Amino acid sequence: MSKIVIAGITQFETVIKVDSIPFDMNRMIHDSPIYVGGGGDAMNEAFALTTLGDQVYFMSVVGQDQNVEVFNPPDFKVHINTDYILPVMKSTPSEIIFFDNDQHQLIFQDLKDIRQAKYDMSMVRPIMAEADLLLVSNANFCRPFIHYALSAGKKIALNMRSYSKEKEKYNADFLENADIIYISDDTIEGDPYEFIDDFTRRYDPEIIILGQGKTGLILYDRDRHVKFHYNSVKTNEVVNSLGAGNALISCFIHYYLETKDSVNAIKNGLLYASYKTGFMRTCEGFLTPEQVEQWRDLIWKTQSVTDMYGVEVPEN
């Protein structure tokens, strides 16, 4: 079991299933599944890592009058610790997500006053001293966490999600200090391997995971001299792919801290993300370690090396 500090956004989500995107705005949509509840990158990571058995310190900010226990759905078997979710904003951020059967998404996000929010760091220093890793998003209130993790000599994992060249300078403190970086390729132009090469030259992280949606991902491991594309795997029927990246980076971190083996960890991360897409809510569908082992045996005892990587490479 690892001790992990998570710092990032918590929000309310309204998730709506529609027939297709774009949809006819002049037509009433009947009988579409709708979910309203808690979500956000940090909350999803907290549920994933708690389900995997890690001790999680979930540090986030919400509205001043917010009852933080609403972020523990009553039908969930896993309960996350909400002691470190601070009600320091005027109101809690929210997001509306439309998705269809082809996994097209239309997202409306209202982050409220989160850019001005500040976290009370007085409680962070003693916790960080005992932690194994900081998993952080690039929200403004998360910037001080980088300093505390560096001061304590802890590994830093950055869940950056989308990338923008124009905004990269605002994320320099995160990128320069992160040991593990997860980025989705949704907004990346050009060759993905060249993108990774450029990143490694400028920031020299230990690990880069470049998510590539349905096609899988690219794993870069500096110390193992690994830079491979891994195909996605099939577990559940896909219902909603939103949140798969949070599941993947969470699972990768759990097994990387446990085994120091990035290839083992990314294989587990791929099946973890695949299984999670079988659920509508972004904060559900997380496997236990026992379930991960069951799925791993099912997938890689029968899958060829070519199917796994998409290229002919030696088996690890």
Side-chain angles (χ1 to χ4, degrees):
M1 178 184 73
S2 298
K3 297 180 180 179
I4 300 171
V5 173
I6 297 175
I9 294 174
T10 301
Q11 62 192 18
F12 283 112
E13 291 179 341
T14 300
V15 184
I16 305 172
K17 172 73 181 306
V18 295
D19 292 335
S20 63
I21 295 176
F23 52 86
D24 185 354
M25 299 294 290
N26 297 314
R27 182 176 66 86
M28 179 71 73
I29 301 174
H30 296 281
D31 301 321
S32 291
I34 298 175
Y35 162 73
V36 179
D41 294 350
M43 179 177 163
N44 297 340
E45 293 161 354
F47 270 112
L49 286 163
T50 301
T51 303
L52 285 166
D54 293 310
Q55 184 170 341
V56 172
Y57 300 92
F58 174 28
M59 300 185 174
S60 190
V61 292
V62 293
Q64 293 171 354
D65 298 325
Q66 185 63 60
N67 173 10
V68 295
E69 278 308 311
V70 303
F71 298 112
N72 272 306
D75 60 327
F76 278 22
K77 294 181 180 179
V78 171
H79 183 95
I80 56 173
N81 186 345
T82 58
D83 292 347
Y84 305 106
I85 304 177
L86 303 187
V88 298
M89 300 177 62
K90 293 178 182 178
S91 54
T92 303
S94 60
E95 187 173 63
I96 298 175
I97 304 157
F98 295 90
F99 74 98
D100 64 17
N101 287 328
D102 294 322
Q103 298 311 307
H104 299 130
Q105 297 167 359
L106 180 62
I107 299 175
F108 300 87
Q109 189 175 53
D110 181 3
L111 291 175
K112 308 297 184 184
D113 58 325
I114 199 165
R115 291 180 177 84
Q116 290 74 48
K118 296 187 183 300
Y119 196 88
D120 179 3
M121 301 301 293
S122 63
M123 68 180 75
V124 176
R125 189 185 300 276
I127 293 173
M128 195 71 76
E130 299 298 322
D132 297 296
L133 177 140
L134 166 67
L135 173 55
V136 64
S137 79
N138 57 330
N140 274 341
F141 81 89
C142 295
R143 294 183 191 277
F145 285 85
I146 297 291
H147 167 74
Y148 280 78
L150 290 173
S151 298
K154 306 302 180 179
K155 283 188 176 295
I156 299 171
L158 172 63
N159 184 356
M160 190 170 176
R161 296 296 302 281
S162 62
Y163 169 81
S164 169
K165 183 67 174 178
E166 294 73 24
K167 296 181 180 180
E168 187 176 324
K169 61 183 178 181
Y170 301 111
N171 295 306
D173 48 348
F174 293 105
L175 293 167
E176 290 169 356
N177 294 296
D179 301 286
I180 301 168
I181 300 174
Y182 170 74
I183 305 176
S184 171
D185 74 343
D186 292 345
T187 56
I188 291 174
E189 298 179 355
D191 183 82
Y193 291 96
E194 292 179 2
F195 174 85
I196 290 174
D197 289 342
D198 177 61
F199 243 58
T200 57
R201 282 192 297 268
R202 292 187 292 124
Y203 298 115
D204 192 32
E206 182 179 325
I207 299 287
I208 294 177
I209 302 170
L210 183 63
Q212 297 179 299
K214 294 179 181 179
T215 64
L217 57 82
I218 297 174
L219 170 69
Y220 164 83
D221 184 328
R222 180 189 62 202
D223 299 334
R224 288 189 62 171
H225 307 288
V226 165
K227 187 169 59 178
F228 289 151
H229 168 83
Y230 290 81
N231 289 335
S232 58
V233 298
K234 175 75 171 179
T235 54
N236 266 337
E237 292 296 326
V238 176
V239 174
N240 183 7
S241 62
L242 198 69
N246 301 326
L248 189 146
I249 185 60
S250 300
C251 185
F252 176 86
I253 285 169
H254 171 82
Y255 285 100
Y256 188 62
L257 289 175
E258 183 180 277
T259 67
K260 303 300 186 291
D261 183 344
S262 62
V263 173
N264 171 73
I266 207 65
K267 288 181 177 181
N268 289 341
L270 281 163
L271 70 85
Y272 207 80
S274 171
Y275 188 84
K276 189 262 165 294
T277 63
F279 297 81
M280 182 171 173
R281 292 183 286 189
T282 64
C283 59
E284 69 176 331
F286 303 117
L287 297 167
T288 65
E290 294 76 19
Q291 291 170 320
V292 171
E293 288 303 312
Q294 291 169 2
W295 275 108
R296 187 182 173 92
D297 288 343
L298 283 172
I299 291 171
W300 283 291
K301 282 188 176 179
T302 59
Q303 188 175 35
S304 72
V305 175
T306 302
D307 287 342
M308 177 65 201
Y309 293 95
V311 294
E312 289 287 354
V313 294
E315 186 145 20
N316 288 289

